[in-house]
Each structure stands twice: as C-alpha cells, then as structure tokens.
C-alpha cells in the first residue's frame, strides 16, 4: 500500500472490497491495458471479471441483488480501476449513473424491472444528454418526444457522445416533451430506452451509426444515437411523470462528477507511480535522476497534487452520502482533480524524457487519456461557473 491517497475511517468491508479490486487491477488490467488500448479493443474479459466481483451492482440496494455500498466506496473503486486503465472505469460509470437515477427517481416497477439485472451486469446502462453542436448547453436540446393518443410517445432526434452506446442495452435519454412550460428546464423528460447491443438499427426507430474515433479513451465505445419515429410506452418515462428529466439528469451528473474526479485521481496516481519508479532507475551525470533537484521538486509537486485531489474527492463523496447537497464540492473535486491530473501526467511525461513519447511506455497512453477528464461531465469552465454561483449564494452580501 502506498503512502499517498489514503482514506481514513473505512469499514472492514470497504477495505476488503478495495483490496480485492486493487489486486484485480494489478493482475488483470495493468498487464493487458497497453495492448487493448493501442488496438482500441473492447476489454470483454476484464468486464466479465468485474461482473464476477459484483462491481456492476456495487451501489444497488441489497433488496435488488446489489451490494448496497456508498458513493464513497464506489468512488474509491473507480479510482483503483482508473489507475489500471481509465477506459475500464468508463465502462461502469454510465451504468452506475443510470442505476443511481433509477434508485433515486424510478417507479417501483422500474426498480424491480431493471435493478436486479443491472446488479449482475445482464443489463448494462448508458445515458445521453448531449447533441451535435450543443456542447454544454443542455437546455437547447432539440430531440423531441410527441405524445400519442394511446398515451405513448414518438421520439425524433439525434444524440452525441454516448459512452457504452454499443454495449449497453438500457439507455437513459433526455428529450423535450413540454412546449411552453413555465421553465425551459420543465420542458424535459428522461426516457428509459431498451435496445439490443451492437451497431445499426438496434430496435425499430433507433440506430447506432458507428463508433466515434478518439485520441484517447479507447476500448470503451463512444457513439451517436439516432431516433427516427421511435415509439415508446408511457411506462418508459423515468419516475412515471414528464417534465422532471433535467433535474433527474443533473442529480445523476452530480454523482458522475465525483466519479470523474475519482478517475482523475486514479490516472494521476498511476502517472506518479510511473514517474517515481523511472526516476530511480534512470541515471544521468553519475546519479539517479530522482536525486537531481529539478526532478525531485517535480515529484514533490506531483505528490502534493495527487494527495490534494484525492482528499477533495473524498470530501465530495462523503457529503453526498450524508444526504447533503454537494454540487459545490462535486464541482470543486471534478475541477481540481482533472486539472491536477493533467499536470501530474505532463510532469511524468517530462520525467520520462524521450521515452515518454514512445508507445512502449505507459505514460504515452496516460498522456492521451488525461484530456478527456477536462471535459467529461462538464468542462472546467462549467465547473467554475457552478462553483462561482454557489459561492455567491453562500456568501450573499447583506446590506
């Protein structure tokens, strides 16, 4: 166990879970990550191993077949998995968010229908808000559900950046339903859409055109989702009531930001581990490069950032687990961890020198993975906007 990124006051069960996951990461993920990532190959054997460990049901209540663990436990598990290969943590992240949204907002029927099969990994979740050309402006989505005489809906539109779009068979999709509501945010509804895995027309009216090629974050599938006359019954509305989709999605994104912070912590930890190990192997001018002050100072900065990001992530997870509002802390954690992750990875890259540019060394992969964390679940600027607004609420001037 390393000195950095420790978490105080964990239960015996939490410690056992983390020990098991770390062992799995060291034995099953790290040795295979380079080959799979460079080949952009979906890590099916690793995913099957995570199913056997019960990771897909980690936060699902025991009454539905899950382990009933906290957001903190989940975040620490994600941190460990991302330390091995960040793409694998992406495989479970969208699944976790959809399960969380069903737990918090679903009808009893929806919980009973989906959660037991999500706990085993039989049902795999993905969620979708973004659309081509809209970026972070969720309120401007154009995909629309039209109410039918039989009470069902027909959905038309296009979604973008759907992580696990190929492998998932349950997608939570945010669309417009109400025109002329008193708020644009009450114009939106979340639908739970079942589909077949794969490309092409995966159910009548629903098409996954193909995989989006990316600089990094390979292995995990990222796709578009096109709906053309997709017919859905009223029972597919999350929570059974329209007009609540934006708030349901934002609740899911709030825990998703803790997840992204955890991923950034894991990648930063791995970059630091690689750097401090390499710095004690490589020699220049008659001594280890770790003994040169320039490198030693860089290692000190990296370790401080790894520790700071981890502790901020823990604070945000524990606050959510306590039932308190944590959008400020989650925004801070995501912002801090992703920025620090970029810094730590770049410093590790510099310490590796020319070898850092070689695909034979792991840091090359991390260097391509870190940028995704700067934009996932809301860009850095979106986080700063959230943080700033909350600070103005909390520190409102009193005349």
């Amino acid at each position: 166990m390393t000195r950095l990124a420790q978490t105080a006051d964990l239960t015996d069960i939490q410690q056992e879970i983390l020990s098991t996951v770390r062992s799995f990461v060291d034995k099953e993920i790290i040795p295979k990550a380079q080959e799979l990532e460079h080949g952009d190959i979906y890590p099916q054997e690793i995913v099957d191993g995570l199913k056997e460990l019960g990771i897909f049901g980690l936060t699902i209540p025991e009454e539905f077949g899950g382990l009933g663990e906290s957001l903190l436990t989940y975040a620490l598990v994600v941190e460990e998995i991302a330390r091995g290969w960040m793409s694998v943590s992406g495989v479970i992240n969208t699944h976790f968010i959809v399960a969380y949204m069903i737990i918090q907002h679903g009808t009893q029927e929806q919980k009973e229908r989906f959660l037991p099969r999500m706990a085993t990994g039989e049902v795999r979740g993905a969620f979708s808000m973004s659309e081509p050309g809209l970026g972070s402006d969720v309120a401007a989505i154009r995909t629309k559900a039209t109410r039918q005489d039989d009470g069902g809906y027909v959905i038309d539109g296009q979604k973008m950046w759907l992580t696990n779009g190929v492998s998932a068979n349950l997608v939570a999709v945010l669309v417009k339903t109400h025109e002329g509501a008193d708020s644009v945010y009450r114009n939106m509804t979340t639908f739970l859409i079942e589909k077949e895995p794969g490309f092409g027309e995966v159910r009548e009216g629903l098409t996954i055109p193909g995989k989006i090629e990316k600089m990094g974050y390979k292995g995990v599938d990222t796709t578009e989702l096109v709906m053309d006359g997709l017919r859905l019954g009223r029972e597919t509305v999350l929570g059974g009531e329209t007009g609540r989709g934006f708030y349901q999605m934002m609740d899911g994104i709030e825990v998703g930001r803790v997840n992204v912070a955890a991923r950034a912590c894991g990648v930063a930890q791995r970059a630091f581990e690689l750097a401090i190990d390499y710095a004690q192997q490589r020699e220049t001018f008659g001594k280890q490069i770790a003994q040169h002050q320039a490198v030693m100072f860089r290692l000190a900065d990296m370790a401080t950032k790894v520790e700071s990001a981890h502790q901020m992530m823990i604070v945000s997870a524990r606050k959510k687990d306590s039932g308190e509002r944590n959008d400020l802390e989650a925004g801070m954690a995501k912002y801090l961890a992703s920025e620090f992750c970029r810094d730590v990875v770049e410093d590790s890259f510099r310490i590796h020198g020319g070898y850092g540019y070689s695909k034979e060394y792991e840091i090359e992969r991390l260097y391509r993975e870190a940028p995704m964390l700067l934009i996932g679940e809301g860009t850095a600027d979106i986080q700063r906007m959230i943080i700033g607004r909350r600070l103005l609420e909390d520190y409102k001037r009193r005349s």
Side-chain angles (χ1 to χ4, degrees), residues 214-235:
K214 310 182 296 290
M215 175 179 73
Y217 199 34
K218 294 179 180 291
V220 62
D221 48 86
T222 306
T223 70
E224 298 175 70
L225 185 150
V226 179
M227 291 164 284
D228 183 10
L230 173 63
R231 292 186 173 273
L232 299 172
R234 70 181 77 182
E235 74 281 355

Side-chain angles (χ1 to χ4, degrees), residues 71 96-106 127 129 190 238 244-258 320 323-327 330 377:
L71 174 60
F96 160 72
I97 291 176
V98 174
Y100 173 84
M101 290 169 62
I102 293 173
I103 293 166
Q104 297 297 121
H105 306 287
F127 77 102
M129 294 190 299
T190 301
L238 179 61
R244 295 184 175 181
F246 178 82
Y247 306 100
Q248 293 165 345
M249 282 280 181
M250 289 304 103
D251 190 25
I253 287 295
E254 199 169 281
V255 295
R257 284 174 180 148
V258 176
K320 186 72 172 179
E324 297 180 71
R325 179 179 178 182
N326 87 326
D327 54 338
E377 315 294 35

Side-chain angles (χ1 to χ4, degrees), residues 1 28 68 94 104 210 263 287 328 350 353:
M1 183 65 71
E28 303 296 333
T94 56
Q104 297 297 121
R263 283 201 254 180
K287 60 182 178 181
L328 174 65
R350 291 173 185 270

Side-chain angles (χ1 to χ4, degrees), residues 159-231:
K159 291 293 183 176
M160 192 72 172
W161 307 117
L162 188 67
T163 301
N164 293 319
V166 177
S167 53
N169 45 15
L170 176 66
V171 187
V173 181
L174 185 67
V175 306
K176 282 191 172 180
T177 45
H178 298 281
E179 295 294 342
D182 58 350
S183 166
V184 64
Y185 300 109
R186 294 190 180 89
N187 278 339
M188 293 181 251
T189 298
T190 301
F191 286 85
L192 298 174
I193 303 175
E194 295 181 82
K195 72 174 187 65
E196 292 296 321
F199 293 107
E201 190 172 40
V202 291
R203 67 175 286 174
E204 188 175 354
L206 178 62
T207 301
I208 304 293
K211 186 164 66 173
I212 298 171
E213 298 296 331
K214 310 182 296 290
M215 175 179 73
Y217 199 34
K218 294 179 180 291
V220 62
D221 48 86
T222 306
T223 70
E224 298 175 70
L225 185 150
V226 179
M227 291 164 284
D228 183 10
L230 173 63
R231 292 186 173 273

Side-chain angles (χ1 to χ4, degrees), residues 77-142:
V77 165
V78 166
E79 185 178 40
E80 292 289 351
I81 293 173
R83 174 183 154 268
W85 182 17
M86 198 262 287
S87 292
V88 178
S89 63
V91 171
I92 62 173
N93 177 42
T94 56
H95 177 87
F96 160 72
I97 291 176
V98 174
Y100 173 84
M101 290 169 62
I102 293 173
I103 293 166
Q104 297 297 121
H105 306 287
T107 64
Q108 187 62 29
E109 180 183 354
Q110 288 167 347
K111 292 175 185 179
E112 292 173 356
R113 176 175 174 77
F114 295 117
L115 292 179
R117 293 183 294 147
M118 294 185 82
T120 63
E122 176 190 349
V123 169
R124 299 268 302 285
F127 77 102
S128 180
M129 294 190 299
S130 297
E131 297 184 5
L134 297 182
S136 299
D137 189 7
V138 178
I141 62 171
R142 298 188 180 95

